[in-house]
């Protein structure tokens, strides 16, 4: 019972305000189990029949750990702590029989929890919640935004895995309205359309990243710093465009670049070029804001998702951070396709970019980032 308080969401507005201050986390605490302890024995994955969604492959390409420690997974996580828990509701047209299941990503197996609710659509719905103490154990009061970003990354990993398996319309819900589950991804069987949602439904629009292949998803990893070397303008535009489309308009997306013309750039109105909207070297300041990660000052470029004002309410905070994690994850895949090394950075303190540029304070905070560098020919493709 000693961890019950840590998993009960505090006032999110106050938690984010504190996470943005320079206050340092206190001593580490116990993280508890690396995965949620689902009840009952594991259920074997059956063989996948014709025109069925292969749930085992979906999870292998999105959430499963690939090493004994559980650190290496297709979805990145702050501190490799992986707080996101996944509950599956399975309908018709799947390799698993209909029902509710809990997923164990370390052992890549599921535990049957009960019957599926009435009206469950064909396919599988992954509902994502968090065990907060895993991240709190290391990041303390800075954990709350990181939990939301991690959940957005997990949703994006499921989305990409579904696309790799031939699903054309995964439905990603990151509306921020609920504390648990924080997000849901519905994946219909291949060849079928998902359920029709009412107008105004707060979903993420279809990002234009192209269909990935399984090997591409399994190879993606956060590159180890340093990440020097400026990306080409074409590559930087592609990464920025992916993030802006995937982020659904909640944040402004820009990139900090260095010499010969240091400053901040963003896609121009025509979508085909970059425009420079602020001059000056921003990377050393970003390094100081990112929990003092000095290597960022010499990185090739830094993609930034900016917004989530100080007066945002809890649903707005959840939505902005969930969609930021989703967008950075897809931008990471685009970066790799352009031969770049990339590393997400989610912990930001005093990072009021708008105020630093002379705008009103408290409006345009750095929410999430993707640090970019070139990958040299003599380097391995996986960090």
């Amino acid at each position: 019972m000693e961890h019950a308080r840590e998993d009960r969401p505090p006032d999110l507005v106050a938690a984010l305000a504190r996470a943005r201050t320079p206050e340092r986390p206190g001593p580490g605490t116990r993280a508890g189990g690396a995965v949620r302890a689902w009840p009952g024995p594991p259920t074997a994955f059956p063989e996948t029949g014709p025109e069925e969604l292969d749930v085992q492959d979906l999870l292998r390409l999105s959430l499963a750990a690939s090493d004994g420690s559980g650190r290496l997974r297709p979805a990145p996580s702050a501190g490799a702590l992986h707080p996101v828990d996944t509950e599956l509701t399975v309908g018709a047209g799947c390799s698993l029989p209909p029902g509710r299941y809990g997923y164990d990503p370390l052992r890549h197996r599921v535990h049957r929890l009960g019957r599926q609710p009435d009206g469950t659509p064909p396919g599988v719905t992954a509902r994502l919640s968090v065990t907060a103490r895993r991240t709190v154990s290391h990041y303390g009061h800075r954990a709350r935004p990181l939990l939301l970003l991690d959940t957005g990354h997990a949703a994006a990993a499921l989305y990409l895995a579904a696309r790799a398996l031939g699903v054309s319309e995964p439905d990603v819900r990151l509306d921020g309205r609920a504390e648990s589950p924080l997000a849901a991804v519905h994946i219909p069987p291949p060849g079928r359309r998902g359920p029709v949602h009412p107008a105004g439904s707060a979903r993420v629009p279809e990002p234009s990243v192209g269909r990935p292949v399984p090997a591409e998803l399994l190879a993606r990893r956060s590159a180890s710093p340093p990440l020097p070397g400026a990306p080409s303008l074409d590559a930087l535009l592609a990464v920025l465009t992916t993030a802006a489309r995937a982020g659904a308009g909640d944040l402004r997306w820009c990139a900090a670049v260095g010499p010969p013309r240091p400053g901040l750039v963003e896609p121009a109105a025509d979508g085909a070029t970059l425009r420079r909207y602020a001059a000056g070297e921003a990377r050393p300041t970003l390094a100081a804001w990112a929990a003092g990660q000095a290597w960022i000052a010499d990185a090739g470029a830094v993609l930034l998702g900016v917004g989530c004002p100080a007066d945002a309410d809890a649903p707005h905070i959840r939505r902005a951070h969930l969609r930021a994690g989703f967008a950075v994850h897809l931008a990471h895949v685009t970066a790799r396709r352009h031969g770049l090394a990339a590393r997400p950075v989610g912990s930001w303190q005093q990072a009021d970019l708008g105020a630093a540029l002379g705008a009103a304070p408290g409006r345009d905070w750095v929410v999430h980032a993707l640090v970019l560098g070139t990958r040299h020919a003599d380097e391995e493709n996986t960090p």
Side-chain angles (χ1 to χ4, degrees):
M1 296 297 291
E2 68 180 277
H3 295 299
R5 269 195 322 278
E6 295 171 358
D7 286 324
R8 187 184 308 128
D11 181 316
L12 185 57
V13 176
L16 179 60
R18 186 182 176 196
R20 286 171 166 173
T21 70
E23 178 187 354
R24 293 183 176 276
T29 59
R30 287 193 296 167
V35 297
R36 184 169 171 180
W38 300 105
T43 299
F45 287 106
E47 292 292 323
T48 303
E51 300 183 2
E52 287 184 335
L53 176 65
D54 188 334
V55 179
Q56 181 177 18
D57 233 16
L58 174 78
L59 296 168
R60 180 179 67 87
L61 295 174
S62 58
L63 302 178
S66 59
D67 72 324
S69 74
R71 292 178 62 87
L72 292 180
R73 310 193 201 188
S77 171
L81 293 163
H82 296 284
V84 180
D85 301 320
T86 306
E87 184 174 322
L88 308 171
T89 301
V90 178
C94 294
S95 56
L96 278 174
R100 291 173 45 249
Y101 299 84
Y103 178 55
D104 180 342
L106 295 188
R107 299 165 185 85
H108 189 44
R109 64 189 187 185
V110 292
H111 295 251
R112 186 175 174 88
L113 305 177
R115 292 176 52 83
Q116 80 277 25
D118 292 340
T120 296
V124 59
T125 300
R127 292 180 170 83
L128 307 177
S129 57
V130 294
T131 298
R133 68 175 175 268
R134 292 182 206 145
T135 302
V136 171
S137 69
H138 180 72
Y139 291 97
H141 68 277
R142 294 178 179 173
R144 295 296 158 178
L146 298 174
L147 293 165
L148 296 168
L149 295 174
D150 277 8
T151 305
H153 277 280
L158 285 161
Y159 168 86
L160 290 171
R163 296 282 286 130
L165 295 177
V167 176
S168 60
E169 295 186 5
D171 176 21
V172 184
R173 290 184 163 264
L174 306 173
D175 55 36
R177 295 172 182 167
E179 292 178 349
S180 185
L182 286 167
V185 183
H186 175 72
I187 301 153
R192 302 197 203 181
R193 294 180 64 88
V196 176
H197 296 284
S201 173
R203 299 159 60 201
V204 172
E206 181 81 3
S208 299
V209 293
R211 179 169 293 178
V213 297
E216 177 183 20
L217 300 186
L218 291 174
R220 68 190 188 276
R221 292 284 181 263
S222 297
S224 300
L227 301 181
S232 70
L233 295 181
D234 286 345
L236 192 56
L237 177 62
V239 174
L240 275 165
T241 300
T242 296
R245 288 175 175 170
D250 275 282
L251 300 171
R252 179 178 186 173
W253 293 91
C254 61
V257 297
R261 296 186 69 205
L264 297 175
V265 298
E266 65 181 359
D270 62 7
T273 57
L274 291 171
R275 64 175 289 268
R276 187 166 176 260
Y277 78 91
E281 178 61 87
R283 294 172 300 165
T285 299
L286 294 174
W289 285 348
Q293 297 184 67
W295 61 272
I296 294 175
D298 298 313
V302 186
L303 174 79
L304 300 168
V306 180
C308 198
D311 60 358
D313 61 12
H316 186 161
I317 293 170
R318 284 192 289 265
R319 184 177 68 248
H321 285 77
L322 290 168
R323 290 183 174 178
F326 185 86
V328 164
H329 194 97
L330 269 62
H332 194 166
V333 172
T334 297
R336 287 185 60 91
R337 287 179 173 178
H338 284 78
L340 302 177
R343 184 178 185 84
V345 175
S347 186
W348 295 91
Q349 292 78 50
Q350 298 179 292
D352 189 343
L353 184 64
L357 295 175
R363 307 306 302 168
D364 292 308
W365 295 85
V366 176
V367 174
H368 202 10
L370 183 69
V371 183
L372 304 168
T374 55
R375 187 184 301 281
H376 303 288
D378 59 345
E379 291 179 332
E380 296 183 357
N381 283 336
T382 52

